[in-house]
Amino acid sequence: QTGSPRNFPFRCLQISSFANTTWTRTDGLAWLWELQTHAWRNGSDSIHFLKPWSRGNFSPQQWEDLQHILGVYRSSFTRDIQEFAIMLSKVYPFELQLSAGCEAYPGNASESFLHVAFQGTHVVSFQGTYWEPAPDAPLWLNRAIEELNKDQGTREMVQSLLSDTCPQLASGLLEAGKSELEQQVKPKAWLSQGPSPGSDRLQLECHVSGFYPKPVWVMWMRGEQDQPETQRGDVLPNADDTWYLRVTLDVAAGEAAGLSCRVKHSSLGGQDIVLHWDGSRSS
Ligand code: ELG
């Protein structure tokens, strides 16, 4: 996309595991769109910067302050939840996941969110100035939410983190990381033969790797004709912020000749990659 203004959400994730009354851990990570920018490991006092621009436009003092707030929060959260677990007789082990963040829009507008999941199901959100149960949250949660809402100091801190700190950090990151976010990395593609799906049948594999951003189109073709039997795997992450995809086609051994794999990606500027199956390699 050229020139069209786009939005890149900034997401902070918290993963808290409560194994039993004594063993717990909490990890945090932050993403700007598809790129991980920060990591905050359980034992660590400091937030780890994963990109040269992860500081955004925050001063060292602002990072100190934020790290301090989050450090206090992490230990209070763990203690709170252990207390709730007793009060609500919640059975270990359980997982809590938080997803919080914001997205800046053209002008000065921005939108923030904070959602909490218990055992993988959305149960609580922060809306405006209060914690609120999710529409179909279990009733036992209301007790916890009532308690949480009594702490005005915490509500005010959450509100200011969501409505001030988050958009400021996100826009600074966006400015500093823009070229990396908007970069285009071309895929490499290659063909191979998969495990035989049956007698006289072949599995043709087309591998596409190293591309950025994520959207990609890959099809097995006969000439100009899409092969609708094409099976697309999941787009999987490589370790270097690029993506990988495998696309397969099961065919009768005699029909493999004349097939090709076509790759369309924004980095290729309309010059699709086309790889032809070499009939002599198989059967
Ligand atoms: N408050 C100390 O989530 C998500 C980012 C939140 C950052 C807010 C940080 C505020 C904080 O650390 C804890 O509060 C005391 O000290 C504050 C100043 O540092 C203020 O003076 C405050 O008034 C004072 O009370 C406070 O202990 C807080 O409760 C920590 C955890 C808050 C929280 N709880 C939470 C609970 C979140 C999601 C779901 C649940 C219930 C789930 C139940 C499952 C069993």
Side-chain angles (χ1 to χ4, degrees), residues 1 179-186 212-213 265-268:
Q1 293 134 317
S179 58
E180 191 169 337
L181 277 167
E182 290 181 338
Q183 76 182 322
Q184 294 285 329
V185 187
K186 287 182 183 166
Y212 181 95
H265 187 260
S266 52
S267 63
L268 297 169

Side-chain angles (χ1 to χ4, degrees), residues 73 76-77 79-81 116 131 148 151 153-154 157-158 161:
Y73 160 72
S76 325
F77 177 84
R79 187 205 54 218
D80 273 23
I81 299 300
V116 185
W131 300 93
L148 268 176
D151 186 349
T154 293
M157 285 173 78
V158 174
L161 285 169

Side-chain angles (χ1 to χ4, degrees), residues 22 39 62 78 195:
T22 55
Q62 277 175 299
T78 306

Side-chain angles (χ1 to χ4, degrees), residues 23 103 110 145 156-157 163 183 228 273:
W23 194 98
E103 184 165 5
S110 74
I145 293 170
E156 284 172 358
M157 285 173 78
S163 58
Q183 76 182 322
I273 297 175

Side-chain angles (χ1 to χ4, degrees), residues 46-183:
S46 56
I47 297 167
H48 197 68
F49 294 135
L50 300 179
K51 297 286 177 193
W53 42 269
S54 290
R55 229 170 239 292
N57 60 0
F58 273 25
S59 66
Q61 187 60 52
Q62 277 175 299
W63 275 110
E64 284 281 316
D65 296 348
L66 187 56
Q67 266 174 170
H68 178 75
I69 290 173
L70 293 177
V72 172
Y73 160 72
R74 181 169 58 187
S75 53
S76 325
F77 177 84
T78 306
R79 187 205 54 218
D80 273 23
I81 299 300
Q82 284 165 334
E83 285 172 12
F84 281 135
I86 296 168
M87 172 172 115
L88 304 166
S89 45
K90 283 298 115 197
V91 186
Y92 292 96
F94 59 85
E95 294 280 325
L96 281 167
Q97 293 159 290
L98 271 78
S99 169
C102 55
E103 184 165 5
Y105 298 110
N108 236 347
S110 74
E111 210 169 287
S112 297
F113 57 88
L114 193 170
H115 302 298
V116 185
F118 178 78
Q119 304 292 50
T121 303
H122 175 211
V123 290
V124 183
S125 295
F126 192 85
Q127 295 287 351
T129 54
Y130 285 93
W131 300 93
E132 277 186 1
D136 40 10
L139 279 173
W140 59 262
L141 248 145
N142 291 338
R143 287 248 333 256
I145 293 170
E146 212 174 289
E147 282 305 310
L148 268 176
N149 277 327
K150 287 180 188 162
D151 186 349
Q152 188 186 350
T154 293
R155 286 193 285 112
E156 284 172 358
M157 285 173 78
V158 174
Q159 198 191 343
S160 108
L161 285 169
L162 288 177
S163 58
D164 303 332
T165 315
C166 187
Q168 195 198 327
L169 180 55
S171 73
L173 286 171
L174 187 52
E175 200 172 321
K178 202 177 185 84
S179 58
E180 191 169 337
L181 277 167
E182 290 181 338
Q183 76 182 322

